[in-house]
């Protein structure tokens, strides 16, 4: 057996009469008047291959083993299908069963299983229609992102997963330590000591919340770069939009202002969504039918229309004048809640909105200060159904202003010596953003819970698999 073999997706293009082998897992099996029909899937495409087994064509002993979940190879001939729904099917003359799946306890045979139940068998759910489609879209989206940046001259860089600096200054980081391993009797008291000399890195270290600061260092040399990797946040929020481990796409551009950053974000979302729609047609069709009825219409609209741009201050005015009774009241200076973001995108504008120039107190230290000294050059892209999908900004390139912000926000200035060096030697206006990869996937699939667009979700209380 070689990996260089045809997938089921390739077999649909074969001319009737061609002899082929089809490898995969049995999705369903149906017996009717001596003929057995098997729907076979190998995950290569949405459609299953129909395998027809005429009476007596295969040994009874083997036929018995063809139950949902069993892994097999069928050999036979591609024939025109008389039934509606497929052009060709496979008339089997050979079968090889690799692994049986006992029908009395195979967990994935219940029809209409809930998403919650499927999460408990996350190791098997990819064999079903919904999750097969989600993982294929996830793979294509990842490829489309690398393609988008590579074609535009952005260099893919790898930023560290373990870091000693807090990028967002939000303090929601996971500590990385070996003191536990060393079996210190006074752990975690050891962790509380002010000097971490005995710990692996000799200083407090964490899982990164963002690769941005390091991406900035490479952008100030390579001009346009991007990093696409896992990021971690110890926010104790069990919402349908938050993960403790998620993937972030972060471009960073030297010689670029907030306008350039917004233009990139808009073009990026449009091109990536159009690519997925083009290459995952049957999967998106399925989501449209079964998960989110307006999906295709919304995605086509996003690709073809301009995103609305407004300042945070304007958005607050709209929200205050909306006449809606929000659970969280809004006023200038407060952070927007998901209900506000949804009202702006779904009710007020009806498409994605880019909000800019947020109050400095609700944004990170590195964002460029506006002349009003109250707002910063931040931008968030908000999408209907999802709320914030992208967060970005123009970065503060002026050494004194940046230093002042770090101190004002109570961050340890010594830790940022290298970040400040960028402003001391050849500083330039620069900007970038972070896209939450799983938020994008929720948007393009219509899946309602972020736990269902990542193979194994890490959330408060859950690190199974
Ligand atoms: O807005 P955030 O916090 O921005 C940053 O981290 C910047 N350093 C990015 C940059 O400018 N390079 O996060 C960026 C995006 C959010 O817009 C959201 O889509 C996603 O990351 N995100 C999460 N996704 C899933 N689970 C979480 N807990 C998330 N927190 C943020
Ligand atoms: Mg944000």
């Amino acid at each position: 057996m070689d990996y260089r073999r045809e997938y089921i997706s390739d077999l649909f293009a074969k001319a009737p009469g061609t002899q082929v082998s089809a490898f995969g897992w049995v999705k369903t099996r149906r017996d009717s008047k001596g003929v057995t029909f098997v729907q076979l899937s190998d995950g290569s495409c949405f459609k299953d291959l129909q395998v027809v087994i005429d009476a007596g064509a295969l040994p009874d002993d083997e036929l018995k083993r063809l139950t949902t979940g069993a892994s097999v190879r069928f050999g036979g001939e591609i024939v025109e299908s008389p039934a509606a729904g497929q052009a060709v099917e496979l008339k089997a003359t050979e079968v090889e069963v690799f692994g049986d799946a006992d029908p009395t306890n195979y967990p994935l045979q219940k029809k209409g299983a809930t998403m919650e139940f499927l999460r408990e068998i996350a190791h098997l759910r990819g064999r079903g229609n919904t999750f097969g489609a989600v993982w294929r879209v996830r793979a294509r989206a990842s490829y489309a992102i690398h393609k988008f940046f590579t074609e535009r001259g952005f260099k893919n860089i790898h930023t560290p997963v373990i870091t000693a600096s807090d990028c967002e200054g939000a303090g929601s980081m996971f500590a990385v330590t070996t003191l536990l391993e060393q079996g210190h009797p006074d752990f975690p008291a050891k962790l509380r000591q002010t000097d971490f000399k005995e710990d692996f890195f000799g200083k407090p270290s964490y899982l990164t919340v963002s690769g941005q600061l390091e991406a900035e260092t490479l952008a100030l040399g390579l001009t346009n770069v991007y990093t696409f990797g896992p990021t971690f946040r110890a926010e104790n929020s069990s919402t349908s939009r938050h993960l403790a481990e998620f993937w972030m796409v972060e471009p960073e551009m030297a010689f670029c202002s907030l306008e350039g950053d917004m233009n990139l974000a808009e073009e990026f979302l449009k091109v990536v969504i159009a690519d997925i729609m083009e290459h995952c047609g049957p999967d998106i069709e399925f989501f449209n039918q079964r998960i989110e009825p307006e999906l295709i219409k919304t995605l086509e609209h996003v690709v073809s229309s301009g995103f609305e741009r407004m300042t945070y201050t304007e958005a607050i005015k709209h929200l205050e004048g909306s006449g809606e009774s929000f659970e969280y009241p809004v006023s200038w200076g407060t952070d927007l809640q998901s209900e506000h973001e949804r009202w702006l995108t779904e009710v007020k504008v009806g498409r994605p909105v880019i909000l800019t120039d947020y109050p400095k107190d609700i944004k990170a230290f590195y964002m460029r200060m506006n002349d009003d000294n109250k707002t910063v050059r931040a931008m968030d892209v908000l999408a209907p159904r999802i709320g914030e999908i992208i967060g970005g900004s123009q970065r503060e390139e002026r050494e004194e202003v940046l230093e002042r912000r770090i101190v004002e926000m109570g961050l340890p200035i010594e830790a940022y010596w290298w970040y400040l060096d960028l402003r001391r030697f050849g500083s330039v206006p620069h900007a970038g953003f972070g896209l939450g990869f799983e938020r994008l996937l929720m948007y393009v699939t219509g899946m309602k819970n972020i736990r269902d667009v990542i193979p194994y979700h890490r959330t408060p209380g859950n690190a199974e698999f």
Side-chain angles (χ1 to χ4, degrees):
M1 276 183 284
D2 188 2
Y3 81 92
R4 273 170 300 205
R5 105 176 90 68
E6 284 162 320
Y7 297 109
I8 285 176
S9 57
D10 302 315
L11 301 184
F12 291 114
K14 296 283 169 200
T18 316
Q19 289 293 320
V20 299
S21 272
F23 293 77
W25 290 267
V26 173
K27 231 179 208 170
T28 58
R29 174 239 176 98
R30 179 167 60 85
D31 297 278
S32 131
K33 300 189 204 102
V35 184
T36 299
F37 298 95
V38 167
Q39 296 298 123
L40 191 72
S41 164
D42 66 355
S44 59
C45 59
F46 185 78
K47 221 156 71 169
D48 303 325
L49 179 67
Q50 170 148 293
V51 180
V52 185
I53 306 159
D54 287 336
L58 299 176
D60 273 351
D61 288 355
E62 298 297 298
L63 214 50
K64 266 192 237 140
R65 300 171 67 189
L66 302 179
T67 59
T68 299
S71 55
V72 291
R73 179 188 71 84
F74 287 107
E77 185 183 326
I78 292 287
V79 296
E80 268 175 54
S81 175
Q86 71 255 333
V88 294
E89 56 192 28
L90 175 68
K91 201 184 221 350
T93 46
E94 285 169 29
V95 67
E96 196 179 338
V97 178
F98 298 101
D100 297 287
D102 180 353
T104 61
N105 60 19
Y106 180 55
L108 199 75
Q109 39 192 357
K110 268 202 291 178
K111 277 254 179 291
T114 62
M115 294 293 168
E116 289 74 16
F117 170 73
L118 290 170
R119 251 170 248 152
E120 289 169 22
I121 53 161
H123 57 306
L124 294 171
R125 64 181 175 170
R127 293 187 192 176
N129 282 340
T130 307
F131 288 93
V134 175
W135 307 149
R136 278 188 299 275
V137 168
R138 191 176 166 111
R140 182 71 210 185
S142 172
Y143 176 64
I145 287 166
H146 285 293
K147 185 164 172 278
F148 175 89
F149 286 119
T150 305
E151 284 174 359
R152 284 162 183 76
F154 285 67
K155 303 288 179 281
N156 183 201
I157 54 160
H158 299 114
T159 48
V161 166
I162 299 172
T163 176
S165 44
D166 180 0
C167 173
E168 291 306 293
S172 52
M173 298 189 293
F174 290 102
V176 175
T177 177
T178 50
L179 293 180
L180 190 57
E181 286 289 307
Q182 293 160 12
H184 265 277
D186 50 352
F187 181 89
K190 269 274 171 239
L191 272 183
R192 271 188 250 113
Q193 66 191 9
T194 43
D195 110 42
F196 279 71
K197 282 209 177 62
E198 281 182 60
D199 206 352
F200 191 91
F201 297 108
K203 57 164 114 170
S205 311
Y206 308 92
L207 294 179
T208 189
V209 298
S210 158
Q212 177 196 322
L213 304 189
E214 291 88 352
E216 281 185 55
T217 68
L218 277 89
L220 269 65
L222 291 172
T223 306
N224 287 345
V225 300
Y226 74 103
T227 177
F228 183 177
T231 51
F232 307 86
R233 300 206 180 170
E235 295 160 301
N236 204 355
S237 51
S238 277
T239 79
S240 58
R241 308 182 312 138
H242 288 89
L243 293 167
E245 176 180 290
F246 62 100
W247 287 67
M248 216 201 293
V249 180
E250 297 182 272
E252 191 68 35
M253 296 156 287
F255 310 102
C256 185
S257 66
L258 191 71
E259 279 65 35
D261 202 30
M262 288 192 282
N263 293 342
L264 180 77
E266 182 168 343
E267 188 186 351
F268 168 70
L269 284 175
K270 287 178 171 174
V271 170
V272 169
I273 290 173
D275 177 287
I276 296 167
M277 290 180 79
E278 184 187 340
H279 291 96
C280 301
D283 293 322
I284 299 294
E285 197 74 51
F286 168 80
F287 293 126
N288 192 67
Q289 270 173 27
R290 302 288 289 277
I291 305 287
E292 174 65 44
E294 297 279 285
L295 185 69
I296 293 183
K297 214 176 105 200
T298 325
L299 295 179
E300 280 169 352
H301 184 53
V302 166
V303 169
S304 61
S305 61
F307 293 7
E308 181 84 13
R309 298 182 186 190
M310 68 171 85
T311 64
Y312 166 91
T313 304
E314 285 162 355
I316 293 292
K317 281 195 195 121
H318 291 311
L319 286 160
E320 284 176 336
S322 70
E324 300 274 330
S325 54
F326 294 114
E327 192 185 334
Y328 295 88
V330 275
S331 61
W332 201 94
T334 56
D335 211 352
L336 296 184
Q337 301 296 322
S338 147
E339 55 174 344
H340 309 132
E341 296 175 342
R342 293 191 61 167
W343 182 84
L344 284 167
T345 53
E346 291 166 23
V347 182
K348 176 73 190 159
V349 175
R351 58 177 194 279
V353 178
I354 311 184
L355 285 195
T356 62
D357 302 287
Y358 284 72
K360 65 174 199 271
D361 294 331
I362 57 170
K363 289 291 180 191
F365 71 94
Y366 53 71
M367 297 192 182
R368 194 178 198 281
M369 185 65 69
N370 281 321
D371 292 342
D372 63 11
N373 228 353
K374 289 196 304 215
T375 58
V376 288
R377 295 248 75 190
M379 66 110 178
D380 277 5
V381 181
L382 313 179
R385 293 203 316 270
I386 312 294
E388 181 188 338
I389 190 164
I390 283 180
S393 69
Q394 184 170 333
R395 321 305 190 190
E396 184 54 77
E397 84 283 13
R398 297 162 296 185
E399 185 191 351
E400 341 65 71
V401 185
L402 182 61
E403 244 172 34
R404 199 175 69 228
R405 292 293 294 149
I406 292 176
V407 173
E408 261 173 28
M409 298 196 98
L411 297 165
I413 190 112
E414 336 63 74
Y416 295 94
W417 65 271
W418 51 273
Y419 191 65
L420 285 159
D421 258 4
L422 296 178
R423 279 73 183 167
R424 293 183 184 121
F425 310 108
S427 188
V428 289
H430 61 289
F433 65 75
L435 163 89
F437 187 50
E438 286 76 17
R439 299 255 176 107
L440 172 72
L441 292 173
M442 288 176 78
Y443 194 58
V444 295
T445 61
M447 296 295 283
K448 304 289 178 294
N449 195 308
I450 200 164
R451 295 167 174 80
D452 298 328
V453 294
I454 188 162
Y456 300 108
H457 65 93
R458 270 75 183 101
T459 46
N462 182 71
E464 192 65 39
F465 304 105

